[in-house]
Amino acid sequence: METQETPFKAALRSGLIIGLISLVISYVVYFINATSLASSWMLLLLVLSFVLVLVFGFSYRKELGGYIPFGAAFQFSFFTLVVAGIVGLFGQLLLFQVIDPALPGVLADQQMQNTMEVMESFGAADAMSTEQIDEMKQGMLDGYTVGGQIKSFGFVLIFYAICALILGAIIKRKEPTPSY
């Protein structure tokens, strides 16, 4: 009798693949233009991750015989995102703390510039004091520290859980019940 892979084992493999793909893309973007890491187009990387979770989820469902209950689909999706997130976290820590320790300052400046442009478009930039602007920039810099990244990963886990609910609902497929 053939044993089926558990959602956790399948998620570990899929999460490592997705995490490594995300890391490669992030590092390529870094080497091309580091300030692009602070741009909104990096959200495409998140969308790519979700698409890959679906691709691997459908593959896992097929491996299970074409049917997977919601619980297993949720577990697969959540743990895939968590593993990919942990790989990404270690890659970011390596980038920000070892490879280019000056990068957090560059990215915080870019984020600050982007934020001020948005605030100016709403007419709110003039209402901020210099102290408020400095405090906001310091908050951005703190997000690139080891503690800041671990703390933000904790919040990302909540986001992953919500996304895994949606992804699990897409991946699941009930086995048809015979009607008599």
Side-chain angles (χ1 to χ4, degrees), residues 52-136:
L52 288 174
V53 169
L54 287 174
V55 168
F56 287 122
F58 293 141
S59 175
Y60 177 58
R61 181 178 75 187
K62 184 177 180 183
E63 185 180 302
L64 293 177
Y67 303 103
I68 185 170
F70 174 74
F74 169 76
Q75 289 173 350
F76 171 82
S77 300
F78 181 68
F79 287 111
T80 298
L81 290 171
V82 169
V83 170
I86 290 170
V87 170
L89 176 65
F90 283 116
Q92 287 178 358
L93 289 172
L94 181 67
L95 180 62
F96 297 143
Q97 307 304 320
V98 178
I99 295 173
D100 192 352
L103 183 60
V106 172
L107 294 179
D109 288 341
Q110 184 64 44
Q111 281 181 296
M112 196 64 201
Q113 181 181 345
N114 294 346
T115 302
M116 294 308 288
E117 287 172 5
V118 169
M119 291 178 75
E120 285 173 6
S121 70
F122 289 113
D126 296 333
M128 292 189 67
S129 68
T130 307
E131 293 84 29
Q132 289 173 318
I133 292 172
D134 291 342
E135 192 175 312
M136 193 165 43

Side-chain angles (χ1 to χ4, degrees), residues 130-147:
T130 307
E131 293 84 29
Q132 289 173 318
I133 292 172
D134 291 342
E135 192 175 312
M136 193 165 43
K137 184 172 180 182
Q138 186 58 46
M140 291 175 185
L141 279 171
D142 291 344
Y144 291 106
T145 64
V146 173

Side-chain angles (χ1 to χ4, degrees), residues 156-178:
V156 167
L157 288 176
I158 297 168
F159 176 71
Y160 284 167
I162 294 167
C163 292
L165 287 170
I166 297 165
L167 294 168
I170 294 170
I171 294 169
K172 76 160 175 58
R173 181 181 287 163
K174 286 185 178 182
E175 204 166 346
T177 57

